[in-house]
Amino acid sequence: MATLDKRAAWLLKLLIERYILDGQPVASRQLSRAVGNSLSPATIRNVMADLDDMGFVCSPHTSAGRIPTHQGYRVFVDSLLEPERMPSRVQQRVMRAILGDGHADAENMLQAATSVLSSVSTMAGVLTVPRRNRALLRRIEFLPLSGSRVLAILVVNQHEVQNRVLETEREYSASELEQFANAINAHYVGRDLLALREALRQEVGAAKQDIDASLKDALGLLSSAAPTGEDEGDMMVAGGANLFGYADLAQIDRLHGLFEALDRKRDLLAIFDRCLDGQGVQLFIGEESGYRVLDECSVVTAPYSVNGQTAGVIGVIGPTRMAYGRIIPLVRDTAKILSQGLKVS
């Protein structure tokens, strides 16, 4: 991606902030008024043409001014944005909704968090419910049994021990199995076993020519020992009707596809599951989600925890023209408040 100089970055930031505010294409003369005598109108027009050539802005109609592209939003969020602090009155509202009098059960807190996030953001609030069989790998050991069988001993979460008897294609010696366990413990501790299972299958399949045979065997054993995806998870959605209020999403076929995705949830679960192992707020802008129905949307997520262990993801779905400086801290802090409530629940 092209690197912006300070002048171009400044004008791109001004353009995006103006567009987020009123939703209208921004003309060079509007930017000229905003910067005063700092830059000449000719310079601004030249910089706008350069930003257009680099793919950060585009003109929806001839002589209509310019709007940011998804690539422009990405630069804005990653490099130019100065996130706001969540106002104390909003923070108090979120805390009251989620924590209440301190006696709400976990399910009520999850529902309340989804609803208040939707209400405050005026977008769709989405939350993945903790999976019953979610297990974070802490350590694994392999012991040889008779024939081509191996006992996998998994320590998950804090101190829970799970045993699996694996049928293997050949016999393994105790030293081989110890080597496998050491390799896994060095690289995969702390990962969610349910999500890890499919990732390992793909990793082993793609790396047949690139990894040592013994490591491939080790990953194969770990994949076999990981739990199956019998619990596909669930998702809470609140405020989907809020999306009707955004002109950016007003096309009937676009809204139909989006509401179908909110109702079906499976694709959205796949997107949110990708955020489980992430740190802090994660953001998908437009086609970055990989799902066409979200090409004109942005998804902002943050993980929440139960008793200190990442359990799910909460976030919002809205138009790409959203107030990122306000929404990012809102999602981040709502996840923290929910985690605080679930820790003592």
Side-chain angles (χ1 to χ4, degrees), residues 208-252:
K208 283 183 178 177
Q209 304 301 321
D210 302 323
I211 64 175
D212 181 88
S214 63
L215 180 56
K216 186 178 73 174
D217 283 351
L219 296 181
L221 287 177
L222 178 55
S223 178
S224 298
T228 62
E230 294 170 357
D231 179 6
E232 295 182 352
D234 196 8
M235 175 174 281
M236 295 180 177
V237 178
N242 288 338
L243 301 178
F244 280 113
Y246 293 95
D248 316 55
L249 305 175
Q251 295 181 20
I252 296 299

Side-chain angles (χ1 to χ4, degrees), residues 5 21 31 48 59 85 100 122 141 170 201 220 281 302 317 328:
D5 60 30
L21 185 64
L31 294 174
M48 285 296 104
S59 299
R85 293 174 62 92
T122 68
E141 300 291 341
R170 68 174 180 86
R201 285 178 176 172
V281 173
I317 298 174
I328 289 173

Side-chain angles (χ1 to χ4, degrees), residues 247-284:
D248 316 55
L249 305 175
Q251 295 181 20
I252 296 299
D253 56 344
R254 184 175 294 161
L255 277 174
H256 176 76
L258 186 53
F259 274 88
E260 187 177 69
L262 290 172
D263 183 59
R264 189 173 62 244
K265 301 179 183 177
R266 184 183 60 190
D267 291 345
L268 297 180
L269 272 169
I271 296 170
F272 275 54
D273 276 353
R274 285 153 57 185
C275 305
L276 277 172
D277 294 325
Q279 298 295 319
V281 173
Q282 295 189 62
L283 175 64
F284 300 95

